[in-house]
Amino acid sequence: MFDWLKTKRRERALGTHAIPDSQWSAALDELPFLDHYDATVLARLRELTTLFLVEKNIVTGAEDGAHALEVTAPMRVLIALQACLLIVGRGATVMEAMRDFEGWDNVVVHPGDFPRTYDYEDEAGVVHRLDEPIAGESWYNGPVLLSWPSVEAGYDQSGMALVIHEFAHKIDMLDGVVDGLPPLAGSARSEFADAQQAAYQDFYRRVDAGEDTAIDPYAAEHIDEFFAVSCEVFFAEPELLREEYAAYFEQLQRWFRVDPIAGALAREGQGVN
Ligand SMILES: [Zn+2]
């Protein structure tokens, strides 16, 4: 019953909250890695973006003061569109695809890097408090935080896209565990994990050896960062990821059900979910 009501509400939202053409094409213009996507993908992306904007709040993290940031409609579209790229191939319907983004409501946009405060205990048992400026963060069952300058900066640096990165963490968290794996079961899970581990081990070794890698070396930090960074590259510079880690690329393609090189939905040989 609840699902039925929600579906009705979403269907209505698609009709009444359509994104104006000018805003939609302006957002697409900012994202050259979407240039070659076919009409089916783009239509689905637009519907999902519409639903995202209705269901999530994209708010400012700095309402007043010298660094106040106003979150405008074009900014919201740009953020929502990139988030929805992660679910554009998922689910038989857009309503189903939105399930990957359930359980939280807010995206908070900051005027710059923001401090993340955390405590850690050293070997002597002394607790230290660290303030580390970060560009983005995803909370389990909570908000996604983004630094607006870093959201914008991404478009000029191929293969980097902060919004995709942070929402990839949301996909990782879907099964309640932050382990770099989307919620998969059985052989689909082990095939994904095997391909990912092989790629991660190789990448870690290269970064550790001081190699100047084309993929952001931040991916070597931890397996969950490897997943988030590889999702950025998968969408923003897919040829690079396929070239470097073809088997892992194929697993990502199976999960996302999108062929980012062809710019089309990947409907063949799935058997996942
Ligand atoms: Zn991350």
Side-chain angles (χ1 to χ4, degrees):
M1 185 65 182
F2 178 67
D3 269 359
W4 179 82
L5 277 175
K6 192 149 62 180
T7 301
K8 285 284 144 207
R9 212 169 52 229
R10 285 175 170 172
E11 280 170 358
R12 214 167 34 241
L14 284 177
T16 52
H17 295 273
I19 301 164
D21 285 342
S22 57
Q23 262 177 36
W24 181 248
S25 38
L28 286 180
D29 284 348
E30 296 265 12
L31 304 167
F33 55 84
L34 293 179
D35 277 356
H36 62 296
Y37 276 83
D38 68 26
T40 307
V41 178
L42 293 178
R44 214 166 195 267
L45 192 56
R46 190 166 176 171
E47 286 194 349
L48 287 166
T49 304
T50 305
L51 290 176
F52 188 101
L53 290 169
V54 170
E55 295 185 8
K56 309 293 181 191
N57 310 305
I58 306 181
V59 298
T60 180
E63 219 148 0
D64 34 50
H67 300 288
L69 176 78
E70 188 199 348
V71 181
T72 62
M75 288 162 73
R76 286 193 175 92
V77 173
L78 205 50
I79 290 169
L81 187 164
Q82 291 181 86
C84 290
L85 192 55
L86 290 159
I87 57 171
V88 74
R90 305 266 311 147
T93 62
V94 288
M95 310 296 165
E96 259 183 60
M98 282 300 286
R99 286 189 191 154
D100 284 355
F101 282 164
E102 280 177 1
W104 54 275
D105 301 314
N106 298 315
V107 179
V108 183
V109 189
H110 289 272
D113 285 4
F114 48 92
R116 177 179 57 174
T117 307
Y118 64 98
D119 296 332
Y120 84 98
E121 201 177 309
D122 68 15
E123 283 144 26
V126 180
V127 176
H128 301 266
R129 173 150 289 193
L130 279 188
D131 275 321
E132 182 191 51
I134 52 171
E137 191 171 30
S138 264
W139 294 18
Y140 178 63
N141 278 345
V144 171
L145 316 180
L146 301 166
S147 149
W148 180 249
S150 297
V151 169
E152 282 194 305
Y155 314 142
D156 305 325
Q157 301 168 31
S158 55
M160 288 181 84
L162 178 69
V163 178
I164 295 173
H165 181 106
E166 295 307 329
F167 284 89
H169 284 310
K170 281 284 183 204
I171 304 290
D172 180 2
M173 290 170 189
L174 276 172
D175 56 6
V177 191
V178 182
D179 56 0
L181 296 174
L184 291 164
S187 61
R189 184 180 176 85
S190 50
E191 282 167 25
F192 190 105
D194 288 351
Q196 186 186 52
Q197 270 303 327
Y200 179 58
Q201 300 299 335
D202 178 74
F203 189 72
Y204 183 88
R205 187 186 47 72
R206 290 165 59 190
V207 170
D208 199 40
E211 189 183 318
D212 189 10
T213 55
I215 294 172
D216 185 353
Y218 183 60
E221 285 272 310
H222 191 269
I223 192 71
D224 61 322
E225 294 305 339
F226 186 71
F227 175 69
V229 171
S230 55
C231 289
E232 290 180 68
V233 185
F234 178 80
F235 285 106
E237 209 180 351
E239 287 90 352
L240 171 65
L241 190 66
R242 190 176 62 174
E243 214 170 89
E244 302 229 335
Y245 299 115
Y248 180 43
F249 177 90
E250 194 183 305
Q251 290 299 321
L252 287 171
Q253 186 162 295
R254 276 193 181 196
W255 167 261
F256 289 115
R257 298 177 184 172
V258 167
D259 178 347
I261 293 174
L265 295 178
R267 286 294 176 200
E268 312 260 311
Q270 318 164 2
V272 275
N273 187 71

